[in-house]
Structures are given as structure tokens and as C-alpha cells.
């Protein structure tokens, strides 16, 4: 999934993973788990993320390469938060060699909407699950019961910094994938259900392309 912070990638990735019964691979989740465990990599990554910065290409690529080597992704997976640079996209193409074509869902949302969403976003302080924005905020996580908190990188100034980083480093990925028959643009300024339906339609089209032998 491609899209700026606040576009809904994490929420939609979780929904798609459940729908297709495949793992959701989130670099952010993996790094937060490492930080919670107190590993040197996790703590370094958390410091960069809290400031609104991205982790290095080398770290992100190594994390995803290891994760995609596991047996549970043999029949498919949903990537959330990777790739974020062209270098990461090139590495992912190499990882995908011999698999079905990569489907790219590009979520677009107006900047003012993104700032409002991120500033109001709440996540679980225990497991990192995003609170469902369509449901009342009861203060606890629906997944594990942990307390909901505001992410350090959702401070308004940090949000604007993250959006600028996205524009500078991640937006060029759209150009990288332009022309592929499995690139789809999704209007992320709709209800979560409408966005999910559009994504399922796009994936159905992508599966048709794969069956037709496109590479």
C-alpha cells in the first residue's frame, strides 16, 4: 500500500489481511515490538520515528526480507509501511521474483484531511493497534484491552514534518510503479467501508491480470 501518513493504510491492511486470510506485514509494528522489547534496533528506530523521520533503507529492507522468508507468507501477504523509497521498491521487486505480480494500492487523501486525522488518531499503548475512527472512543483497545494513547509522532508539527518527508521521499514511488497494470489509485477520503470495497475490486482486477500472465 502506498499513501501518506493518515491515509488509512494500517486500518485497511488489517481488514484486507483478515478478508483474504493472509498475514499483514507492517514494518512499523515490527519496529514497535522491537522497541517494546528494548532491542538496540528498536530503540534507535523508535527515536527516529518519534521525530517524524524514516528508518534507513538498509534496516527496513532487512526487516522485510527476513519476514518474507517465513512460510506463512507463501500464499500471499499485505504490506503496510513498505516500500517507502525507490531503493526499497527495487529491493522488493527482487524479493518478489518468482511470485505473482505485486499489486500496488495508492491511497490519495487531501493534506488538510490528513493533518486532522493524524492529530486526532489514537493507538493502543500495549499492542500498537489503531483505534477504529468510526467507533466511540472508550479509552481501551478493542484488540487487547490496553489503554489508548496519542502517538508521539502525531504531534501537529511532527505530522507536518512527516508529510513533507513523504512528499520528498515516498511520493516518487508512484512514478516508479506508473505503467504497471497492477497499480490502482484509491480515494481514501471516503468511509472505511467504501475504501475497503474499492480495494477489493482493485485486487480482483489484479488477480485477473496475474492469471493472464502479466509480469
Amino acid at each position: 500500500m502506498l499513501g501518506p501518513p493518515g491515509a488509512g493504510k494500517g486500518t485497511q491492511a488489517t481488514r484486507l489481511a483478515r478478508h483474504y486470510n493472509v498475514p499483514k506485514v507492517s514494518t512499523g509494528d515490527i519496529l514497535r515490538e522491537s522497541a517494546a522489547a528494548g532491542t538496540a534496533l528498536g530503540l534507535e528506530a523508535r527515536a527516529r520515528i518519534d521525530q517524524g523521520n524514516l528508518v534507513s533503507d538498509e534496516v527496513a529492507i532487512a526487516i522485510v526480507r527476513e519476514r518474507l522468508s517465513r512460510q506463512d507468507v507463501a500464499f500471499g501477504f499485505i504490506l503496510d509501511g513498505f516500500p517507502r523509497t525507490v531503493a526499497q521498491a527495487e529491493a522488493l521487486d527482487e524479493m518478489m521474483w518468482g511470485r505473482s505480480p505485486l499489486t500496488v494500492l495508492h491511497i490519495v487523501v487531501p493534506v488538510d484531511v490528513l493533518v486532522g486525522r493524524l492529530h486526532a488518531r489514537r493507538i493502543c499503548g500495549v499492542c500498537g493497534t489503531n483505534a477504529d475512527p468510526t467507533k466511540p472512543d472508550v479509552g481501551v483497545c478493542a484488540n487487547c484491552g490496553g489503554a489508548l494513547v496519542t502517538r508521539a509522532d502525531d504531534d501537529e508539527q511532527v505530522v507536518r514534518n512527516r508529510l513533507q518527508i513523504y512528499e520528498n521521499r515516498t511520493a516518487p514511488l508512484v512514478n516508479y510503479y506508473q505503467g504497471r497494470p497492477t497499480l490502482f489509485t484509491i480515494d481514501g477520503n471516503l468511509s472505511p467501508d467504501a475504501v475497503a470495497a474499492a480495494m477489493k475490486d482493485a485486487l480482483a482486477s489484479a488477480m485477473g491480470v496475474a492469471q493472464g500472465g502479466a509480469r
Side-chain angles (χ1 to χ4, degrees):
M1 291 191 183
L2 296 184
K9 299 187 298 296
T11 297
Q12 294 299 335
T14 297
R15 293 179 68 153
L16 287 178
R18 289 174 179 166
H19 179 77
Y20 291 104
N21 195 29
V22 296
K24 182 187 86 165
V25 177
S26 167
T27 52
D29 289 348
I30 293 170
L31 288 171
R32 280 188 284 274
E33 289 168 3
S34 296
T39 68
L41 173 63
L43 293 174
E44 178 185 352
R46 183 169 65 184
R48 290 184 58 83
I49 293 170
D50 286 351
Q51 295 169 5
N53 297 316
L54 301 179
V55 297
S56 69
D57 286 339
E58 292 77 11
V59 169
I61 290 168
I63 287 171
V64 173
R65 190 184 302 279
E66 188 282 328
R67 184 65 183 84
L68 296 189
S69 70
R70 301 181 195 176
Q71 187 59 37
D72 65 340
V73 301
F75 298 103
F77 53 89
I78 307 293
L79 269 176
D80 170 26
F82 185 93
R84 288 188 171 178
T85 67
V86 171
Q88 292 176 21
E90 292 172 343
L92 179 59
D93 278 342
E94 182 269 325
M95 296 178 214
M96 292 296 295
W97 184 257
R99 295 178 181 262
S100 297
L102 185 71
T103 300
V104 182
L105 303 177
H106 176 218
I107 311 173
V108 295
V109 182
V111 172
D112 58 335
V113 174
L114 293 172
V115 172
R117 283 183 183 180
L118 288 169
H119 196 50
R121 182 168 63 175
R122 305 252 282 162
I123 69 164
C124 177
V126 178
C127 71
T129 299
N130 286 334
D132 188 337
T134 66
K135 295 182 179 179
D137 183 358
V138 295
V140 296
C141 174
N143 182 53
C144 74
L148 297 178
V149 298
T150 299
R151 277 174 44 166
D153 57 335
D154 282 345
D155 172 81
E156 184 171 353
Q157 187 55 50
V158 176
V159 164
R160 294 188 182 278
N161 183 43
R162 292 169 66 202
L163 292 175
Q164 187 60 55
I165 291 173
Y166 173 81
E167 186 63 30
N168 293 341
R169 296 187 60 186
T170 310
L173 283 172
V174 178
N175 292 330
Y176 179 82
Y177 288 119
Q178 202 69 49
R180 298 194 187 191
T182 51
L183 168 66
F184 301 88
T185 298
I186 307 293
D187 183 356
N189 197 24
L190 302 173
S191 71
D193 286 346
V195 173
M199 288 187 168
K200 290 173 186 176
D201 288 344
L203 286 170
S205 296
M207 289 175 187
V209 170
Q211 291 171 359
R215 304 301 298 172

